[in-house]
Amino acid sequence: MAQLRAALKSATPGAVLDLAPSMYAGQFSTTVSGTANAPITLCGPRSAVLDGGDIKLGYTLHLDGASWWNLVGFTVQGGQKGIVTDHANHDVISGLSVQNVGDEAVHLRSFSSDNTVEGMVIRNTGLLNTKFGEGIYVGTARSNWCLWSSCGPDGSNGNIVRNNDISMTTAENIDIKEGTTGGVISGNQLSGVGMVTSAAKAWINVKGNGWAVTGNNGTESVGDGFQVHRILRGWGLDNVFQHNTANVNGPGYAIYVQSPSLGTVVGCDNVAVGAGSGLSNIGCT
């Protein structure tokens, strides 16, 4: 564990930190960055497990101002949050398993932009607080802007969330906060199994602007499949939903958009199955 901490602290551009199959107990952080031409890689098999321990405290893996990292293949578990990025850009979080955490599995926060979260398997979040048990959480809620984004919108922009397998989250599978702009959510396998009705009402909740939500497949919702909300004037605008399949199997909509429509586009190519209220509360195009 001490060796891994030292390696994370001293890594230089182009370094490859290869985890052996083992249990790495503790919480780990880095503040160093790679470059566009020489990112830093932390990789290992699923049997390489970073175990953050107590779900009441801390982040199992924290990229704190650490940009141009590739995190590939291993397992993250325990801790209050699994993986957190702050002021971290151009990171790729790929093929990890994140499980058994107190709150969120992955949180992109504090102006963390142009990152990619892909090919993840996420299970068993919200073990400490069901309200905060999102699978992937982008940005910061308005109520916390003075903690994490200098009392203004947390511009964690241009992030890509794709091809992830998310289930057993007590809150939304993916939660996109007001203050974020221009991201992509595509090709994800979503599930409402394990979701708590007091913590979430849909697989995905978008409160930012200009997000493209395409080609996702969801099953078993406690409410709607996808939702758009305006928490604050100027946000929740101009989001686009296309080619999604919503096996809601419940009373809600496949895609619910808070009235007024907020510039949201719902494509008629979205598919609603078992959605008691239909495809959407707004017309499709």
Side-chain angles (χ1 to χ4, degrees), residues 59-260:
Y59 314 147
T60 303
L61 182 57
H62 188 194
L63 299 183
D64 187 6
S67 298
W68 297 107
W69 276 77
N70 296 329
L71 308 179
V72 183
F74 52 91
T75 295
V76 173
Q77 65 185 29
Q80 185 174 353
K81 298 175 187 271
I83 300 170
V84 176
T85 70
D86 286 312
H87 299 279
N89 305 312
H90 305 289
D91 293 320
V92 176
I93 305 172
S94 181
L96 306 188
S97 175
V98 184
Q99 61 194 23
N100 304 331
V101 295
D103 293 338
E104 305 95 355
V106 179
H107 190 171
L108 308 181
R109 187 179 65 187
S110 297
F111 307 100
S112 291
S113 296
D114 301 311
N115 301 293
T116 299
V117 182
E118 63 182 7
M120 309 284 282
V121 175
I122 293 175
R123 298 287 188 274
N124 298 324
T125 64
L127 301 182
L128 175 64
N129 191 327
T130 57
K131 182 179 178 181
F132 303 138
E134 291 90 352
I136 299 172
Y137 186 109
V138 181
T140 301
R142 176 184 57 174
S143 58
N144 288 322
W145 282 357
C146 286
L147 287 175
W148 301 111
S149 54
S150 302
C151 295
D154 178 356
S156 291
N157 300 329
N159 292 297
I160 298 172
V161 179
R162 65 188 178 198
N163 301 332
N164 301 288
D165 178 352
I166 310 173
S167 183
M168 299 301 294
T169 65
T170 55
E172 294 92 349
N173 292 170
I174 302 171
D175 194 4
I176 305 301
K177 289 302 183 184
E178 58 274 17
T180 67
T181 301
V184 174
I185 304 171
S186 67
N188 298 284
Q189 297 296 315
L190 310 167
S191 173
V193 173
M195 203 169 284
V196 176
T197 55
S198 61
K201 296 293 190 294
W203 310 307
I204 295 178
N205 193 336
V206 179
K207 308 178 194 76
N209 291 350
W211 281 77
V213 183
T214 62
N216 301 283
N217 183 20
T219 60
E220 305 300 328
S221 177
V222 297
D224 303 308
F226 307 87
Q227 292 181 338
V228 178
H229 288 277
R230 183 178 71 174
I231 299 300
L232 185 67
R233 183 177 294 275
W235 296 102
L237 307 176
D238 302 323
N239 299 291
V240 177
F241 292 78
Q242 293 179 316
H243 302 292
N244 301 288
T245 299
N247 293 278
V248 177
N249 296 324
Y253 291 99
I255 303 168
Y256 170 81
V257 181
Q258 182 183 349
S259 183

